[in-house]
Amino acid sequence: MATTAAAKRKPTPPLVPFRTHSPQPNASKDTPLTHVFFHQPTSTWTYLVVCPTTRKAAVIDSVLDFDPVTNTVSTETADGEVVKYWDSNEEPAVVLRGGETLRADVVIVADGVHSPARWLLTPHARKAAEKIPSGYSVHRSAISAEKLKADSRCSHLLDGTIRTWLGPDAHACTYPLDNGNGLAFTYTHRDDGSLASLDWRDKKPIAGMLKELQGWDPVLLAALSHFPSSLHWTIVDEKPEEEWISAGGRICFVGDSVHPMMPTAFQGGSQAIEDAAAIALCLALTGGRPDGVPLALETYEALRRPRIKEAQALGKLQQDLWHQYLPPPAARRRRLSRSSDSSTNAPGPSRPSLCPLTFALYDYDVENYVLEHFETFARAIDPDFVLKTSWREDAARKANIALD
């Protein structure tokens, strides 16, 4: 079994970010050479195909697939892109760029913030969720840890601990990845909107951010100096979308595509996973049948909205607490001046705890919650609904939950 699994694993990027694939021995003299470049900062491949006879060349976009064994390229991955949705109350479908149509009883969409699927499904008269500028932006990036491991100033940041640094109206976090083989960071700060954008590909050199962080912890600066660039995004306060389910009742959104989280919520991925678990149980609790899909999705939305609003509110409050923890430089100077006056020895106001507020969300068990409350929420939508004992037992068994 181990040998089979290894054979299916995708090849890892080479240590040397350049190599050439020569034609097979029996190939004609006009068979082109393929030069492969791996760009570490963006983790993408680029192919330069050169004709040895004419010396003409072409650069092939990295969205194409390349098979180094046969020295051929294909559009298999690109052809899998969803370009259209069929919103049907009987059998929804997605259409792929390659022309294939995939039909199903239910379609779950998880394509992230600025979801293209929402516009494909409702291109006209769509009521978008309100986006309120927060006045902040976030830098974020991730790299492999080879250079960090060799840097004694910051190699301990790979020990599995998430660390947070606070500054005046700003904070930075580092996150070890892949058992210490990578490191990610975020830096959130006040921004008037002139530099950051809502473009999720808005990448900038790291030098500008490091200049803003002058005077911060040398350990943090040493680690960030190994990052060549970072994404720079505007942070907006977004309420959950008004529409989580398509008009046909069988296409549903989960995660950031329907309820984006602020970075300080630390809940983007977590809430998407909870969404998925809730949908799976809701489908099972309506009998796992095609005719139960519409009620299952409506009940999922009703069950999840309060939880999402709580997580979003905690994220906003967390940023406010951290960014107000340290006063601005001018206020600190005034405080120091007052403290040097022997006539004013009264203690200052106590500071809030640094423990992340979202820790309060960690004891929640979404599967138990759905099993306990599904029937109540479902009957509020359809008073004639009856939850069969066999459906509940089957759902609990699939979730590995013991019923009372």
Side-chain angles (χ1 to χ4, degrees), residues 87-388:
D87 186 19
S88 166
N89 58 9
E90 295 182 355
E91 190 180 52
V94 297
V95 181
L96 307 184
R97 183 172 296 280
E100 184 179 5
T101 298
L102 305 177
R103 294 175 173 82
D105 296 322
V106 60
V107 175
I108 309 299
V109 181
D111 57 350
V113 177
H114 316 310
S115 164
R118 298 198 65 84
W119 298 100
L120 289 172
L121 278 165
T122 53
H124 303 293
R126 172 179 173 264
K127 184 179 180 181
E130 184 180 7
K131 293 179 172 62
I132 304 172
S134 69
Y136 293 87
S137 67
V138 58
H139 294 259
R140 64 191 306 169
S141 188
I143 58 172
S144 57
E146 288 82 2
K147 292 182 179 180
L148 283 163
K149 290 178 180 179
D151 190 337
S152 60
R153 300 172 299 171
C154 54
S155 58
H156 63 283
L157 299 184
L158 301 170
D159 63 2
T161 302
I162 297 175
R163 291 174 168 85
T164 302
W165 289 259
L166 302 185
D169 208 4
H171 77 277
C173 298
T174 57
Y175 312 86
L177 305 172
D178 192 21
N179 294 320
N181 290 311
L183 187 73
F185 84 88
T186 60
Y187 167 54
T188 304
H189 61 100
R190 175 67 68 176
D191 192 320
D192 61 7
S194 60
L195 298 177
S197 74
L198 291 174
D199 183 354
W200 283 75
R201 296 166 295 182
D202 184 14
K203 185 173 292 188
K204 294 183 173 66
I206 204 71
M209 191 195 74
L210 291 176
K211 187 175 181 180
E212 292 182 27
L213 288 169
Q214 285 183 0
W216 285 54
D217 183 2
V219 173
L220 174 63
L221 297 180
L224 296 182
S225 69
H226 292 289
F227 289 76
S229 61
S230 70
L231 297 167
H232 190 195
W233 301 332
T234 298
I235 298 175
V236 295
D237 294 339
E238 296 189 53
K239 297 178 181 179
E241 291 277 356
E242 293 293 331
E243 303 166 357
W244 291 28
I245 305 166
S246 69
R250 292 178 175 272
I251 301 179
C252 185
F253 294 83
V254 300
D256 281 348
S257 68
V258 76
H259 48 68
M261 296 283 163
M262 294 186 70
T264 42
F266 306 111
Q267 287 292 301
S270 300
Q271 293 305 317
I273 292 171
E274 287 187 11
D275 284 350
I279 287 179
L281 275 177
C282 287
L283 290 169
L285 289 167
T286 51
R289 304 173 308 172
D291 60 356
V293 168
L295 177 60
L297 297 185
E298 286 189 64
T299 308
Y300 145 75
E301 178 181 345
L303 286 164
R304 293 292 297 154
R305 273 192 181 274
R307 170 75 169 172
I308 294 303
K309 290 181 178 179
E310 179 187 11
Q312 287 183 325
L314 284 178
K316 178 64 169 62
L317 180 58
Q318 183 70 78
Q319 178 174 292
D320 291 343
L321 290 176
W322 278 356
H323 285 221
Q324 297 168 13
Y325 192 84
L326 294 177
R332 289 205 304 273
R333 288 194 294 270
R334 290 194 297 271
R335 180 179 296 176
L336 289 173
S337 176
R338 288 195 299 269
S339 65
S340 64
D341 186 346
S342 59
S343 64
T344 56
N345 293 322
S350 61
R351 289 176 175 172
S353 169
L354 290 177
C355 182
L357 298 176
T358 50
F359 282 4
L361 299 173
Y362 290 178
D363 289 335
Y364 178 83
D365 189 318
V366 64
E367 292 174 321
N368 273 319
Y369 183 83
V370 171
L371 276 173
E372 181 178 352
H373 298 284
F374 178 84
E375 187 171 14
T376 300
F377 280 78
R379 288 181 62 83
I381 298 168
D382 179 3
D384 295 328
F385 172 74
V386 177
L387 176 58
K388 294 184 178 180

Side-chain angles (χ1 to χ4, degrees), residues 285 388-398 401 403:
L285 289 167
K388 294 184 178 180
T389 301
S390 60
W391 293 352
R392 189 167 186 267
E393 291 175 346
D394 185 56
R397 178 182 56 79
K398 291 178 178 178
I401 295 175
L403 296 175

